[in-house]
Amino acid sequence: MYDGLGRPGRNDECWCGSGKKYKKCHLTFDDKLQALYDEGYEVPPRDLLKTPEDIEGIKRSAKINIGVLDMVSERIGEGVNTLEIDQWIYDYTVEHGAIPADLDYEGFPNSVCTSINEVVCHGIPSKSDVLTSGDIVNVDCSTILDGYFSDSSRMFCIGEVSPERKRLVEETKAALEAGLAAIKPWGFLGDIGAAVKAHAASCGFSVVREFGGHGIGFEFHEDPFVSHVSQAGTGMILVPGLVFTIEPMINAGGQAIDMSDPNGWTVRTKDRSDSAQWEVQLVITEEGYELLSW
Ligand code: MF3
Ligand code: CO
């Protein structure tokens, strides 16, 4: 095959674990991938494609990931500091037999990223970050269960939030939904970011380019990189079994970011305008897609 991985014999077991003969299972699928590759399209190598068994594993991980954010949504509010949120998430995750993927990831010191107002992403939980009325905060949580990774994030509005901030939060979610609506099985990854960017632009907002979504499942961050400012009709073919996140970071002001925080993590908007983000994880299916975590 184009990806250097061998193909089973026609009457041998399929590589997907179905137990069926290859000729009755993924043989025509593999032929299709090879043909697309030969025509010059960017085709995911088989080792990025998840089998039904893998998807079940990711769903078990995602169930905890979703549970974490549901738990946070019930408890978050004015007066809570972000280190408390970190502790809730650590406890919930470990009590459910899982591991917070953020903890110690490339040296990240906590179990979650908490990004308030002008913080774009990778905010480090801190006792001194006390949520006050008017704040918008992203809680970005990632979970490992039995080696399977899940990843999602939500925005929370604390107390009385200004109409401008509320609009940023809502339209960022709408931009993500526009990206989802652009998904066509066997279509292009670039269609997603093009739709996200168009929605953001229609609202007068800008999209962060340096960070994007990512393949996920066996590792925290796998290929492909999911740009939120891509061109339609470009990029990797959306092959069923591909699992990735969409997680646009959208700024009320300019697109530029500031990564100069001495802690090495916290990313802010350069102009200190507000920034919002929502993240979902999905699998491409023959029909379209299925959300795994949100
Ligand atoms: N959760 C982020 C993502 O959506 C990654 C955070 S990495 C960390 O991809 F080290 F900052 F936690
Ligand atoms: Co992610």
Side-chain angles (χ1 to χ4, degrees):
M1 285 279 281
Y2 65 91
D3 56 10
L5 297 169
R7 295 174 72 157
R10 292 177 58 81
N11 291 311
D12 293 340
E13 251 188 53
C14 187
W15 53 258
C16 78
S18 64
K20 291 188 207 160
K21 287 187 178 177
Y22 184 51
K23 68 181 179 193
K24 296 240 164 180
C25 198
H26 274 88
L27 186 144
T28 44
F29 177 92
D30 283 349
D31 283 345
K32 189 169 174 178
L33 293 185
Q34 184 67 51
L36 285 166
Y37 179 83
D38 291 342
E39 287 167 44
Y41 291 105
E42 196 182 322
V43 180
R46 185 199 298 161
D47 54 16
L48 288 185
L49 302 178
K50 275 64 182 178
T51 66
E53 189 189 335
D54 298 328
I55 303 293
E56 288 312 309
I58 295 171
K59 282 184 177 172
R60 286 192 296 275
S61 171
K63 195 173 172 205
I64 299 169
N65 186 260
I66 295 164
V68 167
L69 288 175
D70 287 347
M71 176 274 293
V72 169
S73 73
E74 282 167 21
R75 300 170 74 173
I76 198 167
E78 272 178 74
V80 169
N81 73 61
T82 54
L83 197 63
E84 287 175 73
I85 299 172
D86 181 67
Q87 189 67 49
W88 301 341
I89 289 177
Y90 179 85
D91 291 345
Y92 183 102
T93 305
V94 170
E95 277 162 22
H96 286 77
I99 302 165
D102 287 1
L103 193 57
D104 287 334
Y105 176 78
E106 292 184 3
F108 190 78
N110 290 81
S111 298
V112 62
C113 297
T114 49
S115 302
I116 304 170
N117 301 335
E118 78 284 0
V119 177
V120 172
C121 63
H122 302 166
I124 298 178
S126 162
K127 212 172 169 174
S128 60
D129 281 336
V130 180
L131 297 174
T132 57
S133 183
D135 284 342
I136 55 171
V137 57
N138 174 274
V139 177
D140 187 344
C141 177
S142 312
T143 310
I144 317 170
L145 182 74
D146 300 333
Y148 289 110
F149 287 74
S150 51
D151 185 10
S152 60
S153 82
R154 300 182 199 167
M155 293 299 295
F156 298 97
C157 291
I158 307 300
E160 292 293 317
V161 169
S162 69
E164 294 77 25
R165 279 187 171 162
K166 222 172 247 166
R167 190 169 82 93
L168 177 65
V169 169
E170 281 162 13
E171 296 297 356
T172 300
K173 191 173 199 185
L176 166 55
E177 286 161 356
L180 289 170
I183 292 176
K184 289 181 292 293
W186 302 97
F188 294 91
L189 183 63
D191 295 352
I192 298 171
V196 170
K197 187 183 169 197
H199 186 91
S202 77
C203 301
F205 298 147
S206 61
V207 181
V208 171
R209 311 172 166 249
E210 291 84 348
F211 296 96
H214 48 92
I216 178 169
F218 306 136
E219 304 284 345
F220 196 170
H221 296 114
E222 301 175 2
D223 281 341
F225 174 73
V226 181
S227 166
H228 302 111
V229 291
S230 44
Q231 301 290 321
T234 67
M236 191 178 274
I237 300 291
L238 296 175
V239 174
L242 198 59
V243 175
F244 58 90
T245 71
I246 306 176
E247 47 179 305
M249 282 145 261
I250 294 188
N251 302 344
Q255 66 177 50
I257 58 171
D258 172 5
M259 300 212 284
S260 67
D261 192 299
N263 70 23
W265 284 103
T266 310
V267 179
R268 295 183 177 81
T269 54
K270 190 159 190 176
D271 59 13
R272 297 297 188 262
S273 64
D274 294 317
S275 187
Q277 180 183 24
W278 295 82
E279 176 176 17
V280 299
Q281 176 179 355
L282 58 90
V283 57
I284 300 294
T285 64
E286 290 287 356
E287 293 74 38
Y289 67 90
E290 182 182 356
L291 287 182
L292 300 173
S293 64
W294 57 85

